[in-house]
């Protein structure tokens, strides 16, 4: 339907639905521009669609034109896709133009073939005539209302008009009125001349001010050039101080990096000590549990001995085991106290003799 309508409207190129299987924005823009020109030849919609911004502007302009002029609402998103969905939007405009052409063609069906061949469909001129007709209708309505009001006052004005017509014209009064009008016109002319003179004076004053500003500008530019060419006395000292500041800044950066690195090492060392302390506490807990189990085992085995010698030997061995246990407990308690408070220097092993 779309291709047949475009062919009937007189589109110069051949269009098929295969052209819209893939997005073809150039063809869609060309068709839209042709339809707009066909609808109103005096339209000024730009046809530049090279960049993305130009394409968006073109689609918006066409949609706004169709909404305001033809009251046709177009979907700009589908038009920008330039595929099969755009054909449905184009069909809205072509159907209106095709219906108008068929209507006008039916009215001219009785014309001869030569006249029908010379006929050219111009919808833009018809729209212009419609606008002019609407404007004239509004003017006629307003003028009719004013005329109705004036006709209502005709009864009162008729008597005044007849009195004025019946009254004889006095030349002296007419001369006085003319003199008054001439004097008012002369006063207006004199006021206009005075204003022109004032404009000339103001123009001269402004030119003098402009010349003065130009001279001041030239002096300021010369002074600026001299100041830029002269090197200040403090620039040498400023450059030296800037070099020293750069050195101090580099030293500060180095010390800051070292300090950060040392703090990181300290944190790692503290973390390692904490882990060692936790491991020592776990080992101490395991040793205490093991010692408790051994004590319970020794107590059970001591009650089953037969002779006193064996009992004494067992007691001696138990005393020696208890001594080793107490030494181990003392060393572990000292280790824990050293972890909590100050450091403990030494090992966890006992001395060679009992006194030590």
């Amino acid at each position: 339907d779309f291709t047949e309508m475009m062919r009937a409207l007189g589109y110069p190129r051949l269009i098929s639905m295969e052209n819209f299987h893939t997005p073809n924005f150039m063809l869609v823009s060309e068709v839209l521009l042709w339809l707009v020109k066909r609808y109103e030849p005096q339209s000024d919609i730009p046809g530049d669609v090279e960049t993305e911004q130009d394409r968006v502007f073109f689609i918006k302009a066409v949609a706004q034109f169709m909404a305001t002029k033809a009251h046709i609402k177009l979907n700009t998103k589908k038009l920008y896709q330039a595929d099969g969905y755009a054909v449905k939007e184009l069909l809205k405009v072509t159907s209106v133009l095709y219906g108008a052409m068929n209507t006008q063609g039916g009215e001219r069906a009785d014309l001869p073939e030569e006249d029908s061949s010379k006929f050219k469909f111009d919808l833009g001129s018809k729209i212009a005539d419609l606008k002019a007709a609407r404007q004239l209708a509004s003017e006629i309505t307003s003028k009719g209302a004013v005329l109705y009001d004036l006709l209502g006052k005709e009864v009162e004005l008729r008597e005044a008009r007849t009195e004025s017509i019946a009254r004889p014209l006095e030349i002296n009064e007419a001369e006085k009125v003319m003199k008054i009008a001439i004097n008012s016109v002369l006063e207006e002319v004199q006021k206009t001349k005075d204003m022109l003179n004032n404009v000339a004076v103001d123009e001269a004053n402004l030119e003098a001010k402009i010349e003065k500003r130009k001279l001041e500008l030239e002096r300021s530019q010369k002074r600026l050039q001299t100041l830029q060419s002269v090197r200040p006395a403090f620039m040498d000292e400023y450059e030296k101080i800037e070099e020293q500041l750069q050195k101090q800044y580099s030293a500060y950066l180095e010390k800051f990096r070292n300090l950060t690195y040392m703090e990181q090492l300290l944190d790692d060392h503290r973390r390692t000590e904490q882990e060692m302390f936790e491991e020592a506490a776990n080992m101490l807990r395991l040793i205490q549990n093991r010692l408790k189990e051994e004590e319970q085992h020794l107590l059970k085995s001591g009650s089953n001995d037969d002779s006193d010698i064996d009992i004494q030997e067992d007691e001696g061995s138990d005393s020696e085991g208890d001594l080793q246990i107490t030494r181990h407990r003392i060393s572990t308690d000292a280790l824990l106290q050293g972890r909590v408070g100050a450091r403990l220097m030494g090992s966890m092993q006992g001395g060679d003799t009992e006194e030590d």
Side-chain angles (χ1 to χ4, degrees), residues 42-240:
Q42 291 81 13
S43 62
D44 55 349
I45 295 176
D48 189 9
V49 291
E50 294 296 329
T51 61
E52 183 178 358
Q53 294 179 355
D54 294 336
R55 293 181 178 182
V56 173
F57 180 78
F58 175 79
I59 293 296
K60 287 183 178 179
V62 172
Q64 186 176 3
F65 174 82
M66 287 297 173
T68 55
K69 301 294 183 180
H71 301 286
I72 299 173
K73 186 177 181 181
L74 298 176
N75 192 339
T76 56
K77 184 177 180 182
K78 292 181 179 179
L79 286 175
Y80 191 81
Q81 289 177 359
D83 52 4
Y85 293 100
V87 177
K88 296 181 180 179
E89 302 299 321
L90 295 173
L91 192 59
K92 296 178 182 178
V93 184
T94 54
S95 60
V96 173
L97 295 175
Y98 186 77
M101 187 184 69
N102 289 334
T103 303
Q104 192 170 3
E107 293 176 356
R108 293 175 176 262
D110 298 333
L111 294 175
E113 295 181 356
E114 295 179 358
D115 296 335
S116 62
S117 62
K118 295 180 181 179
F119 171 71
K120 293 182 179 179
F121 181 75
D122 190 1
L123 188 60
S125 61
K126 298 297 180 182
I127 293 175
D129 295 339
L130 180 61
K131 290 182 179 178
R134 288 179 179 175
Q135 187 175 1
L136 289 174
S138 61
E139 290 179 359
I140 289 169
T141 304
S142 60
K143 296 294 184 182
V146 174
L147 181 61
Y148 179 79
D149 295 335
L150 293 176
L151 290 174
K153 297 178 181 178
E154 176 63 18
V155 178
E156 299 176 359
L157 296 175
R158 186 181 301 168
E159 297 178 358
R161 185 171 63 252
T162 55
E163 290 179 359
S164 298
I165 293 172
R167 187 175 59 185
L169 180 62
E170 295 181 0
I171 298 173
N172 294 326
E173 292 181 357
E175 288 180 353
K176 288 180 181 179
V177 173
M178 291 298 293
K179 287 180 180 179
I180 292 170
I182 290 168
N183 291 329
S184 63
V185 172
L186 291 175
E187 289 178 357
E188 292 291 334
V189 171
Q190 188 62 33
K191 287 180 181 179
T192 306
K193 289 181 179 180
D194 294 337
M195 291 175 66
L196 291 173
N197 294 327
N198 293 329
V199 168
V201 174
D202 294 338
E203 186 177 358
N205 293 329
L206 289 173
E207 288 179 355
K209 289 181 180 179
I210 290 169
E211 292 294 333
K212 185 177 179 181
R213 295 294 183 185
K214 286 182 179 179
L215 293 174
E216 291 180 357
L217 179 61
E218 290 178 358
R219 287 196 296 269
S220 300
Q221 289 178 353
K222 290 180 181 179
R223 187 178 178 185
L224 178 62
Q225 291 177 0
T226 54
L227 290 174
Q228 288 178 352
S229 61
V230 176
R231 182 181 175 84
F234 59 85
M235 284 300 295
D236 297 333
E237 184 179 0
Y238 173 77
E239 290 176 355
K240 290 180 181 179

